[in-house]
Amino acid sequence: MLACPQQMHAQSAAAKPAVEFCCVIWEPLPITAVFYRDGKSFLPLEFSPGNRSRYYPLKDGNALELFEKVTAADGELTYKLVGETPLIASARRMLFLVNPVPNATGLPLRLYGVNDALDVFPPGTIRFFNFSPTQLQVKFAGQASKLPAGEMSLVKSNASENGGFIPFLIGNPKGEVIFETRLFSQPTGRDMVFIGAPAKPGERVLVKVLPQLIAPEPPKPAGP
């Protein structure tokens, strides 16, 4: 559905940071067992369609490289690169969208990474990603903004303490509403909303929501 298009603006690579990362897939991948490289080690990844994976450490390298295990011509097991993308400069926690490439002539998996740190994506906010080829207008929590193709924006939900459903509208460049729903938001949650082009001309834009709850920090001990 939302296949991490090439027009999404590239984000600069870091110089061998120590990071942790999680991955998201929307549907089962055609590769049954996927590994990532950390230095000289190849470590397994586990995915759950429509959900974040757990966080994995990446201590050595300046890119996320994914592999599958294959049998070489000599009968030996080896690892074949199936997807890669650079890390983001200064990011210490990242999220990667992983999507298969239909009829791929190159690497069969396409990756797109974003900074997933709490200081840039805190609880009580929502990130909107425009994976469609046209500029959109997004209205949420009383805030309206233009969202160019290939861009993302961050909006505070201003949700009540117990949370609630907040109207969410998407408009085309003419200002006409082309999608409308309500998103549940709460102060301890942070959600990602991915907007893709319609599957067929004339149909609605495709929208996927990726929620996450963040445990509140424990209260600080009282002073003496």
Side-chain angles (χ1 to χ4, degrees), residues 99-185:
N99 286 276
V101 180
N103 304 314
T105 56
L107 298 179
L109 298 182
R110 182 177 297 149
L111 281 62
Y112 174 70
V114 296
N115 192 335
D116 197 41
L118 291 175
D119 58 343
V120 299
F121 181 27
T125 62
I126 289 187
R127 267 178 167 173
F128 295 99
F129 295 80
N130 183 4
F131 283 104
S132 80
T134 60
Q135 176 174 282
L136 300 172
Q137 298 187 46
V138 174
K139 186 175 183 180
F140 178 75
Q143 305 169 67
S145 59
K146 294 181 180 179
L147 187 58
E151 296 288 349
M152 62 180 172
S153 63
L154 183 73
V155 178
K156 290 184 178 180
S157 67
N158 297 318
S160 63
E161 181 178 355
N162 295 324
F165 287 92
I166 300 175
F168 167 53
L169 295 87
I170 300 174
N172 62 19
K174 297 180 181 179
E176 301 167 333
V177 175
I178 58 175
F179 181 89
E180 183 175 1
T181 188
R182 290 175 177 267
L183 301 177
F184 184 80
S185 297

Side-chain angles (χ1 to χ4, degrees), residues 7-211:
Q7 77 265 19
M8 292 300 286
H9 298 302
Q11 304 191 51
S12 55
K16 295 186 178 180
V19 303
E20 61 177 1
F21 70 92
C22 68
C23 295
V24 177
I25 63 173
W26 301 118
E27 57 188 28
L29 298 177
I31 301 170
T32 55
V34 179
F35 301 80
Y36 77 98
R37 179 161 62 184
D38 191 7
K40 296 182 179 180
S41 300
F42 294 87
L43 306 171
L45 291 174
E46 294 184 1
F47 304 107
S48 175
N51 298 289
R52 289 169 173 260
S53 71
R54 71 174 181 86
Y55 285 96
Y56 293 89
L58 182 57
K59 301 175 182 178
D60 187 7
N62 58 7
L64 178 65
E65 299 173 313
L66 301 186
F67 297 80
E68 66 173 331
K69 189 181 290 187
V70 298
T71 303
D74 58 5
E76 294 292 326
L77 289 177
T78 186
Y79 291 91
K80 177 183 176 182
L81 183 69
V82 294
E84 64 178 336
T85 192
L87 302 180
I88 295 174
S90 76
R92 293 296 176 264
R93 174 178 284 190
M94 292 191 62
L95 176 143
F96 292 94
L97 300 178
V98 182
N99 286 276
V101 180
N103 304 314
T105 56
L107 298 179
L109 298 182
R110 182 177 297 149
L111 281 62
Y112 174 70
V114 296
N115 192 335
D116 197 41
L118 291 175
D119 58 343
V120 299
F121 181 27
T125 62
I126 289 187
R127 267 178 167 173
F128 295 99
F129 295 80
N130 183 4
F131 283 104
S132 80
T134 60
Q135 176 174 282
L136 300 172
Q137 298 187 46
V138 174
K139 186 175 183 180
F140 178 75
Q143 305 169 67
S145 59
K146 294 181 180 179
L147 187 58
E151 296 288 349
M152 62 180 172
S153 63
L154 183 73
V155 178
K156 290 184 178 180
S157 67
N158 297 318
S160 63
E161 181 178 355
N162 295 324
F165 287 92
I166 300 175
F168 167 53
L169 295 87
I170 300 174
N172 62 19
K174 297 180 181 179
E176 301 167 333
V177 175
I178 58 175
F179 181 89
E180 183 175 1
T181 188
R182 290 175 177 267
L183 301 177
F184 184 80
S185 297
Q186 52 190 319
T188 56
R190 57 176 195 163
D191 303 328
M192 293 184 176
V193 178
F194 302 95
I195 307 168
K200 296 180 180 179
E203 294 186 350
R204 294 200 312 174
V205 292
L206 301 177
V207 176
K208 288 282 189 180
V209 180
L210 183 68

